[in-house]
Amino acid sequence: AGAASIASLTALRALSLCMEPPCSEGLRAVPGAWSALTGLTCLALTGHQAMRKLPGWVEGSWGQLQRLQLGGSHMCWLVDCHSPILPG
């Protein structure tokens, strides 16, 4: 169960799963089951200090992802090229 059970919400468009204050007890990785969340357009995963990188399947499975917030930084993904950019 736990965070992986969110994958059953296949119509999910936005998800915010944040730790406040930030701590190492949060997610260590994005659960593989979340690859089923193909309609996700906005994701915030802040405060999960043990999470170091996103899995390789993210670009292929989350092709509609437009906004991504990790740690204390904010990145936007361009829908047409999926290139991460920093807001200006």
Side-chain angles (χ1 to χ4, degrees):
S5 64
I6 291 172
S8 65
L9 306 172
T10 56
L12 198 63
R13 299 290 175 254
L15 175 62
S16 178
L17 187 59
C18 303
M19 300 287 294
E20 187 59 41
C23 74
S24 60
E25 298 300 317
L27 291 175
R28 295 187 181 282
V30 175
W34 286 12
S35 64
L37 301 176
T38 57
L40 204 59
T41 60
C42 182
L43 176 64
L45 295 173
T46 61
H48 300 273
Q49 294 177 333
M51 187 180 305
R52 298 285 183 229
K53 63 181 182 174
L54 292 173
W57 53 257
V58 166
E59 187 173 0
S61 295
W62 292 348
Q64 296 192 35
L65 192 64
Q66 297 174 5
R67 301 188 80 166
L68 174 64
Q69 186 174 358
L70 298 171
S73 65
H74 192 90
M75 291 192 318
C76 294
W77 283 27
L78 297 175
V79 175
D80 57 349
C81 65
H82 293 93
S83 298
I85 61 169
L86 295 175

